[in-house]
């Protein structure tokens, strides 16, 4: 019996790199999260780490010095907004985005600004040569005396550079290109990413060094590699943008040091990437001419109100099934709005070709833009333009009701600041405060009432 117990203690264990599920036998698919190929060797089952002696007991939380973990600004205003104030010493930040969105350009700008402000910065590139990065740095003006650059794909060599330079900020572009000779697998694999991330995080915490890791994304848009990577780091940011648009949006998916409801806006130009403190002008057509089929709305990106223009075009169907084209909006919601307009507001569009798009390439996913899209469609159907000083927002239900949306006052303040004079909005649960007397607000409860306000029937 004793021999059986001993042999059981030596039985190898296996662990899922995605969710942590364990099993005594190797399987191709995780029994918990159903991921394929994520089961790896976890060492002997039954092995237990023994308690070790400590030099001093854990201090009381009130006695811990938190001054070393204060925010340090990056001097890139939009990035500081998303991070909650700047970089925290010892923090590990994961920045993910599609190829060509501008991750390397943004971080090279951040590296140079951090170096100019007195920090020692180490930029490790595994995707490009040092000469290629230098060309980009010359183009965007990211040259500093304390900004060090190395092209390295070996984890041990990268950690050696950290030992030699003792940087305040470490940037790794990207974490999928580094590999360690201590573990099996190709660079970018689950085992390699786990080893690389753990080593870099350990170095960052030990040296009180801020580390920014660039991560790849899959074709579905999620961060490549094991989900464990997102759990290990302190901040996870997503950098998004359309390939044919200059606008880039930075969002914090996870942030241990600040909010996750802020959005940073950037303009990607030939000379680098520029933060946009007031990006609303990009999403509104710059003409004062009244044209049917256009309506301006206010959408919230995190806590940030952005004004955007929705354009619609309605034309007779040449034959067969009516055509539907939607750009920048949810196509399923647009189909729903077409049905609601016909059933609840007598706007007959089901047998007409309809085209709906946003200005500037912005994507609007918030249900609060429903009312503006419906107004634009009704304007195009009636061939009657809306006022260029009108803004409207609200969620439209299947019964034709206009539902409440959050932050009505904040949206109206932004519209008034940009020169709009009146608005059509859903009923507010609280009195609207701080709205100037010259700004007219009409509260409506149904879509038919909203259309009657701007298109009165004779």
């Amino acid at each position: 019996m004793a021999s059986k117990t001993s042999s059981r203690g030596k039985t190898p264990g296996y662990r899922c790199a995605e969710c942590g599920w364990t099993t005594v036998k190797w399987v191709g698919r995780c029994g918990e999260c159903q991921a394929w190929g994520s089961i790896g060797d976890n060492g002997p089952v039954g092995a237990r780490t023994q308690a070790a002696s400590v030099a001093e007991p854990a201090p009381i939380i009130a006695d811990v010095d938190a001054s070393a973990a204060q925010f340090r600004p990056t001097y890139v205003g939009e990035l500081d907004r998303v991070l909650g104030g700047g970089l925290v010493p010892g923090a590990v930040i994961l920045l993910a985005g599609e190829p060509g969105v501008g991750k390397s350009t943004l971080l090279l700008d951040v590296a140079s600004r951090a170096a100019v402000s007195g920090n020692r910065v180490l930029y490790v590139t595994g995707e490009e040569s040092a000469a290629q990065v230098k060309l980009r740095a010359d183009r965007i003006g990211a040259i500093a005396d304390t900004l060090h650059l190395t092209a390295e794909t070996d984890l041990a060599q990268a950690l050696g550079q950290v030992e030699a330079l003792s940087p305040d900020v470490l940037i790794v572009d990207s974490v999928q290109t580094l590999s360690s000779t201590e573990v099996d697998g190709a660079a970018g694999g689950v085992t390699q990413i786990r080893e690389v991330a753990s080593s870099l995080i350990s170095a960052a915490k030990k040296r009180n060094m801020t580390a920014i890791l660039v991560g790849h994304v899959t074709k579905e848009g999620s961060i490549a590699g094991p989900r464990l990577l997102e759990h290990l780091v302190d901040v996870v940011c997503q950098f998004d943008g359309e390939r044919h648009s200059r606008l880039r949006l930075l969002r914090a998916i996870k942030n241990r040091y600040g909010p996750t409801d802020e959005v940073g806006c950037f303009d990607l130009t030939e000379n680098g990437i520029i933060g946009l403190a007031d990006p609303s002008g990009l999403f509104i057509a710059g003409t004062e001419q009244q044209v049917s089929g256009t309506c301006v709305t206010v959408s919230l990106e995190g806590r940030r109100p952005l004004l955007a223009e929705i354009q619609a075009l309605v034309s007779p169907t040449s034959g067969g099934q009516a055509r539907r084209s939607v750009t920048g909006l949810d196509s399923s919601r647009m189909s729903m709005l077409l049905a609601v307009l016909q059933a609840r507001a007598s706007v007959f569009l089901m047998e007409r070709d309809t085209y709906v798009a946003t200005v500037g390439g912005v994507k609007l996913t918030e249900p609060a833009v429903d009312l503006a899209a419906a107004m634009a469609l009704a304007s195009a159907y009636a061939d009657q333009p809306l006022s260029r000083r009108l803004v409207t927002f609200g969620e439209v239900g299947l019964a034709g009701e206009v539902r409440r949306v959050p932050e009505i006052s904040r949206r109206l303040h932004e519209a008034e600041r940009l020169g709009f004079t009146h608005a059509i909005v859903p009923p507010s649960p609280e009195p609207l405060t701080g709205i100037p007397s010259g700004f007219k607000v009409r509260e409506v409860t149904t879509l038919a009432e909203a259309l009657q306000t701007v298109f009165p029937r004779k």
Side-chain angles (χ1 to χ4, degrees), residues 255-379:
N255 192 353
R256 290 174 177 165
Y257 310 110
T260 57
D261 55 358
E262 288 286 1
V263 176
C265 299
F266 296 88
D267 185 14
L268 186 63
T269 67
E270 295 180 356
N271 299 321
I273 195 163
I274 303 171
L276 297 175
D278 190 8
S280 293
L282 294 176
F283 314 136
I284 301 176
T287 176
E288 292 294 327
Q289 182 180 2
Q290 290 185 335
V291 181
S292 61
T294 64
C295 186
V296 178
T297 187
V298 186
S299 176
L300 281 183
E301 289 289 344
R303 298 175 56 193
R304 191 173 196 171
L306 297 178
L307 269 75
E309 183 173 312
I310 299 177
Q311 297 182 340
L313 177 63
V314 176
S315 63
T317 302
S318 57
Q321 187 175 2
R323 185 175 180 180
R324 306 283 182 254
S325 177
V326 181
T327 304
L329 296 162
D330 187 355
S331 58
S332 61
R333 292 198 70 86
M334 291 303 103
S335 299
M336 181 203 74
L337 283 179
L338 292 176
V340 173
L341 280 168
Q342 178 156 323
R344 308 299 183 186
S346 300
V347 179
F348 302 100
L349 298 173
M350 300 305 292
E351 297 182 357
R352 294 182 177 232
D353 294 339
T354 55
Y355 305 85
V356 186
T358 57
V359 173
V362 64
K363 288 185 177 181
L364 302 178
T365 58
E366 190 187 16
V369 305
D370 288 350
L371 184 58
M375 298 278 281
L377 286 166
S379 172

Side-chain angles (χ1 to χ4, degrees), residues 178-260:
L178 289 183
S179 61
S180 172
T181 58
E182 301 297 325
V183 297
D184 297 330
V190 172
T191 307
Q192 286 288 354
I193 291 180
R194 183 169 54 186
E195 175 65 20
V196 170
S198 299
S199 300
L200 293 175
I201 292 171
S202 176
K205 303 300 182 183
K206 178 181 177 181
R207 295 177 169 274
N208 210 28
M209 167 187 68
T210 302
I212 305 177
L213 313 179
V214 176
H216 296 167
V217 296
T218 64
K219 61 182 180 181
E220 291 83 13
S222 59
I223 300 175
R227 199 61 183 267
L228 181 67
L229 178 61
E230 298 180 53
H231 290 290
L232 289 176
V233 299
D234 301 304
V235 182
V236 179
C237 293
Q238 189 84 22
F239 204 37
D240 299 319
E242 290 290 336
R243 184 175 294 273
H244 303 292
S245 174
R246 291 169 38 179
L247 177 69
R248 300 292 185 265
L249 297 179
L250 179 67
R251 296 178 175 88
I253 303 174
K254 169 189 175 182
N255 192 353
R256 290 174 177 165
Y257 310 110
T260 57

Side-chain angles (χ1 to χ4, degrees), residues 10-313:
K10 295 181 180 179
T11 302
Y14 298 90
R15 179 186 180 92
C16 175
E18 297 287 342
C19 66
W21 179 73
T22 58
T23 178
V24 295
K25 296 176 61 178
W26 184 88
V27 292
R29 188 177 189 180
C30 175
E32 181 68 24
C33 65
Q34 305 301 316
W36 287 97
S38 62
I39 306 298
D41 190 359
N42 192 42
V45 173
R48 296 291 183 267
T49 302
Q50 301 297 321
S53 60
V54 295
E56 58 181 276
I60 301 174
I61 189 172
D63 298 334
V64 176
D65 183 13
S67 60
Q70 298 297 323
F71 285 106
R72 297 177 184 175
T74 64
Y75 301 100
V76 179
E78 294 301 293
L79 179 59
D80 289 340
R81 175 200 292 267
V82 174
L83 296 179
L87 302 176
V88 176
V92 180
I93 302 170
L94 177 63
L95 176 65
E98 295 183 354
V101 76
K103 303 184 298 295
S104 300
T105 303
L106 173 62
L107 291 184
L108 192 57
D109 184 35
V110 171
S112 65
R113 292 174 183 267
V116 169
S117 63
N119 297 295
R120 185 183 298 274
V121 183
L122 174 60
Y123 193 106
V124 180
T125 175
E127 299 181 346
E128 302 174 281
S129 66
Q132 290 173 322
V133 178
K134 174 63 162 53
L135 288 176
R136 185 188 300 114
D138 288 334
R139 176 168 54 86
I140 67 176
I143 303 296
D145 294 336
T146 56
L147 173 55
H148 300 263
L149 173 65
T150 180
E152 195 60 67
T153 57
D154 183 69
L155 175 61
Q157 292 293 327
L159 293 175
Q161 293 284 358
V162 173
E163 291 283 345
L165 295 173
S166 297
D168 301 302
V169 179
L170 170 66
I171 297 176
V172 178
D173 187 8
S174 64
V175 70
Q176 278 86 1
T177 59
L178 289 183
S179 61
S180 172
T181 58
E182 301 297 325
V183 297
D184 297 330
V190 172
T191 307
Q192 286 288 354
I193 291 180
R194 183 169 54 186
E195 175 65 20
V196 170
S198 299
S199 300
L200 293 175
I201 292 171
S202 176
K205 303 300 182 183
K206 178 181 177 181
R207 295 177 169 274
N208 210 28
M209 167 187 68
T210 302
I212 305 177
L213 313 179
V214 176
H216 296 167
V217 296
T218 64
K219 61 182 180 181
E220 291 83 13
S222 59
I223 300 175
R227 199 61 183 267
L228 181 67
L229 178 61
E230 298 180 53
H231 290 290
L232 289 176
V233 299
D234 301 304
V235 182
V236 179
C237 293
Q238 189 84 22
F239 204 37
D240 299 319
E242 290 290 336
R243 184 175 294 273
H244 303 292
S245 174
R246 291 169 38 179
L247 177 69
R248 300 292 185 265
L249 297 179
L250 179 67
R251 296 178 175 88
I253 303 174
K254 169 189 175 182
N255 192 353
R256 290 174 177 165
Y257 310 110
T260 57
D261 55 358
E262 288 286 1
V263 176
C265 299
F266 296 88
D267 185 14
L268 186 63
T269 67
E270 295 180 356
N271 299 321
I273 195 163
I274 303 171
L276 297 175
D278 190 8
S280 293
L282 294 176
F283 314 136
I284 301 176
T287 176
E288 292 294 327
Q289 182 180 2
Q290 290 185 335
V291 181
S292 61
T294 64
C295 186
V296 178
T297 187
V298 186
S299 176
L300 281 183
E301 289 289 344
R303 298 175 56 193
R304 191 173 196 171
L306 297 178
L307 269 75
E309 183 173 312
I310 299 177
Q311 297 182 340
L313 177 63

